Amino acid sequence: MNADGRTRLHQTPEWTALAKHREELGEVRLRELFAADPGRGTGYALRVGDLYVDYSKHLITDETLRLLRELAVATDVFGLRDAMFRGERINTTEDRAVLHTALRAPRDAVIEVDGENVVPAVHAVLDRMADFAGRIRSGEWAGHTGKRIRNVVNIGIGGSDLGPAMAYEVLRAFTDRDLTVRFVSNVDGADLHEATRDLDPSETLFVIASKTFTTIETVTNATSARTWLLNALGDEEAVARHFVALSTNAGKVAEFGIDTANMFEFWDWVGGRYSYDSAIGLSLMIAIGPERFREMLDGFRLVDEHFRTAPAESNVPLLLGLLGVWYGNFHDAQSHAVLPYSHYLSKFTAYLQQLDMESNGKYVGRDGREVEWQTGPVVWGTPGTNGQHAYYQLIHQGTKLIPADFIGFAEPVAELSDELKAQHDLLMANFFAQTQALAFGKTPDEVRGEGVPEELVPHRTFKGDHPTTTVLARELTPSVLGQLVALYEHKVFVQGAIWGIDSFDQWGVELGKVLAKRVEPALTEGADVPGLDASTQALVAAYRELRGR
Ligand code: F6P
């Protein structure tokens, strides 16, 4: 029981019904489920916007889905969802509203935070971004020496990097190819060095992206970027033409030396990992243009509306969230793979890692008590075909259950040559073959039937029953990217709501930051750090010796 007398999640009738159901199902054989229901391939599929989502290859029955939906009702997922969309302060540990959905609301929508409609401000910033992006793209905004801006370097980390960097990769085919756009995040000086070494400072714009504008990595890199610029241009006034800021913190931006006239604002009700469709997307907007950016926002909005209004039976983010709960809590799966069959989605899973793991990597519930159930999974993966020749062995024949999402597209991107476009069917043949192999495997008899010697039969057998979701769209467009991201945002929301955790804070990253600050003087000056543990002390000593200090 909770202190307030409420039953804890794992003691609710809905949870125990699922546990019982899991026991009764025993070892689920997908071959049998498909044999028993010839309509399963189409029956266990949903559409949202441009996405076709097949969930037939999951270890579930109609009853599983029914019980999972009951759990969602019992944990008030829909109540919390509505509170989020209404702008209530559902991020309780930070006492903030959670309104990334307002970033893609239509101009005439009314969404209030503390009695104030936030939508006009969202659109005012989008309009300013569009104006600025247009001026960079047309050459109207020139550098300090009058030269056209040809390079954009985004400096940010976490949500101020992963989102725009991912989306820039995804939408490369829509970018202005005459612009060089790079993303610097690591405080390792090598990152900024590699990003700038072949650039002309007089043609380079730095976009400093930081919600708080206090993040040490970003402020350090931004300071070094300013030195790099001023060493070349020799005039403090150059900063105004070569630096813009994306932030919620005007005071810190001004303190850093960036004119707040060159600042694009967002608000504390936008979480960092939910922010690339805010001002944080400026570098992306410069690359793809304001129109494409708005198409992307339309895609987000489409899935927001679906999540907000679709009935539970056809609500795709709800379904994905519930499937994650099924595996994490009732099959003890520890991780979740996201495997895109698109080169352009190469950074998509890295982006989802922050979205999911920073949101739901929590062991304390909203009620302040430790949870007694598994929360967020380890999210991992890289583009599928590469993975096939690396780690898929473990997914097929290892000892761990790894549910996976496969994401693919029917059309190759338009600008490929005919020869390269022709490779697309081969790519997609792999896409379909893998989920087939994972689900249905190969029986010992089938292996024997191929004349394999008996001693090799166990090695060549594939047990199958590895669950996958397949997400298929016609082509990769800005709107489809928005749809995919919103789908995962809301999936993460559903899971956090069920587990009873605050998906919108990230206190777990604080301790490391504090300790780094404390240890740094020991590295640089050999300062005595009180209370430093013996292991770290020895490591610091070894480091100083290696550096000849
Ligand atoms: O340390 C984690 C974090 O706070 C993330 O949540 C955030 O996306 C990132 O750092 C960057 O923060 P900021 O945008 O304030 O620089």
Side-chain angles (χ1 to χ4, degrees):
M1 286 265 183
N2 274 333
D4 61 7
R6 282 172 53 191
T7 312
R8 301 211 81 199
L9 176 63
H10 64 305
Q11 292 158 344
T12 58
E14 291 77 11
W15 187 277
T16 39
L18 274 161
K20 185 159 166 271
H21 171 69
R22 165 76 184 96
E23 224 176 279
E24 283 164 4
L25 274 181
E27 220 171 290
V28 179
R29 306 310 319 255
L30 283 170
R31 281 180 186 242
E32 287 166 19
L33 290 181
F34 274 83
D37 175 9
R40 188 175 169 101
T42 47
Y44 276 40
L46 289 170
R47 281 179 199 276
V48 50
D50 296 307
L51 311 177
Y52 177 84
V53 180
D54 170 294
Y55 59 100
S56 61
K57 296 188 184 90
H58 277 288
L59 310 176
I60 54 169
T61 63
D62 288 350
E63 179 66 355
T64 321
L65 290 169
R66 192 184 67 75
L67 292 171
L68 285 166
R69 285 194 294 264
E70 284 191 357
L71 181 69
V73 171
T75 49
D76 197 24
V77 171
F78 307 113
L80 197 67
R81 172 198 65 187
D82 295 344
M84 172 176 78
F85 276 96
R86 275 198 304 270
E88 284 176 30
R89 293 172 182 266
I90 64 162
N91 175 359
T92 48
T93 69
E94 295 182 326
D95 192 25
R96 286 177 182 166
V98 175
L99 268 183
H100 42 278
T101 51
L103 298 170
R104 48 261 191 168
R107 243 175 234 282
D108 57 0
V110 177
I111 303 169
E112 292 187 349
V113 176
D114 298 334
E116 197 189 320
N117 182 12
V118 298
V119 179
V122 166
H123 282 274
V125 173
L126 280 172
D127 291 345
R128 278 189 64 224
M129 288 166 67
D131 175 64
F132 182 74
R135 287 199 282 157
I136 295 286
R137 287 164 67 86
S138 69
E140 192 193 323
W141 178 286
H144 182 63
T145 65
K147 276 193 174 174
R148 190 178 179 136
I149 296 293
R150 296 187 188 282
N151 318 307
V152 176
V153 179
N154 189 91
I155 297 182
I157 198 163
S160 300
D161 166 74
L162 288 162
M166 172 278 289
Y168 173 72
E169 271 320 303
V170 173
L171 300 177
R172 235 173 216 273
F174 298 88
T175 59
D176 178 344
R177 301 285 193 172
D178 291 333
L179 278 170
T180 298
V181 181
R182 293 182 181 158
F183 295 84
V184 171
S185 55
N186 200 323
V187 75
D188 182 342
D191 198 357
L192 186 63
H193 169 71
E194 289 298 336
T196 53
R197 56 181 288 282
D198 57 346
L199 302 186
D200 176 350
S202 61
E203 297 180 342
T204 301
L205 176 77
F206 288 99
V207 175
I208 313 301
S210 177
K211 179 176 168 178
T212 55
F213 231 79
T214 57
T215 304
I216 188 91
E217 292 88 341
T218 299
V219 174
T220 306
N221 274 324
T223 306
S224 299
R226 187 171 54 187
T227 307
W228 177 82
L229 183 91
L230 294 182
N231 282 348
L233 303 186
D235 182 354
E236 276 285 336
E237 284 187 11
V239 172
R241 302 300 293 176
H242 292 267
F243 275 76
V244 296
L246 321 174
S247 189
T248 58
N249 192 342
K252 287 284 174 193
V253 168
E255 210 176 281
F256 179 84
I258 297 178
D259 188 343
T260 45
N262 294 340
M263 169 178 151
F264 297 85
E265 182 195 10
F266 62 114
W267 307 272
D268 73 356
W269 39 262
V270 183
R273 52 193 175 272
Y274 298 86
S275 70
Y276 95 81
D277 46 339
S278 71
I280 290 294
L282 182 67
S283 301
L284 173 70
M285 191 194 267
I286 294 172
I288 63 173
E291 213 171 295
R292 296 299 197 188
F293 196 88
R294 286 188 193 280
E295 284 170 25
M296 184 185 75
L297 296 182
D298 292 344
F300 272 98
R301 182 159 69 237
L302 192 152
V303 173
D304 290 345
E305 279 310 289
H306 166 85
F307 179 51
R308 202 172 62 78
T309 59
E313 291 74 15
S314 56
N315 196 309
V316 183
L318 177 73
L319 171 76
L320 297 191
L322 293 177
L323 288 170
V325 168
W326 178 235
Y327 294 114
N329 299 108
F330 299 95
H331 286 77
D332 203 24
Q334 298 293 311
S335 80
H336 182 93
V338 180
L339 308 167
Y341 278 66
S342 162
H343 180 69
Y344 290 105
L345 283 160
S346 58
K347 292 189 173 169
F348 190 64
T349 311
Y351 167 75
L352 292 184
Q353 282 182 328
Q354 188 200 14
L355 179 66
D356 201 323
M357 295 166 77
E358 201 172 79
S359 295
N360 286 341
K362 316 274 164 73
Y363 67 78
V364 176
R366 286 196 300 267
D367 58 4
R369 294 184 63 189
E370 278 198 27
V371 298
E372 292 176 61
W373 45 90
Q374 289 286 314
T375 59
V378 176
V379 176
W380 62 283
T382 52
T385 33
N386 298 1
Q388 282 174 215
H389 295 273
Y391 51 77
Y392 273 39
Q393 165 66 35
L394 185 145
I395 307 182
H396 281 288
Q397 285 189 320
T399 53
K400 294 168 178 60
L401 176 72
I402 302 176
D405 297 348
F406 280 66
I407 304 172
F409 302 91
E411 294 281 350
V413 306
E415 71 175 32
L416 299 192
S417 68
D418 287 346
E419 191 182 358
L420 294 178
K421 274 186 187 150
Q423 294 181 198
H424 196 70
D425 286 335
L426 178 57
L427 170 72
M428 293 306 284
N430 275 279
F431 176 77
F432 296 118
Q434 285 298 328
T435 59
Q436 189 190 355
L438 286 165
F440 306 113
K442 199 178 198 182
T443 64
D445 282 347
E446 286 169 345
V447 177
R448 279 186 200 103
E450 289 172 355
V452 171
E454 195 54 34
E455 70 275 17
L456 285 184
V457 168
H459 299 280
R460 307 273 302 256
T461 298
F462 288 69
K463 275 193 180 162
D465 301 320
H466 299 289
T468 58
T469 301
T470 298
V471 181
L472 185 64
R474 195 167 75 82
E475 58 182 331
L476 184 48
T477 62
S479 170
V480 165
L481 173 62
Q483 293 171 41
L484 280 171
V485 173
L487 183 64
Y488 280 97
E489 283 178 349
H490 299 317
K491 171 201 166 174
V492 166
F493 174 90
V494 166
Q495 297 189 330
I498 290 176
W499 292 322
I501 54 182
D502 184 339
S503 299
F504 302 101
D505 62 14
Q506 56 284 316
W507 300 107
V509 300
E510 293 305 317
L511 179 61
K513 291 183 192 172
V514 173
L515 293 184
K517 255 191 206 152
R518 207 182 291 163
V519 170
E520 200 193 354
L523 305 186
T524 49
E525 303 147 25
D528 202 16
V529 179
L532 202 60
D533 65 272
S535 163
T536 312
Q537 240 172 45
L539 286 166
V540 168
Y543 173 83
R544 284 183 57 81
E545 193 185 320
L546 288 167
R547 292 213 61 178
R549 288 184 178 155

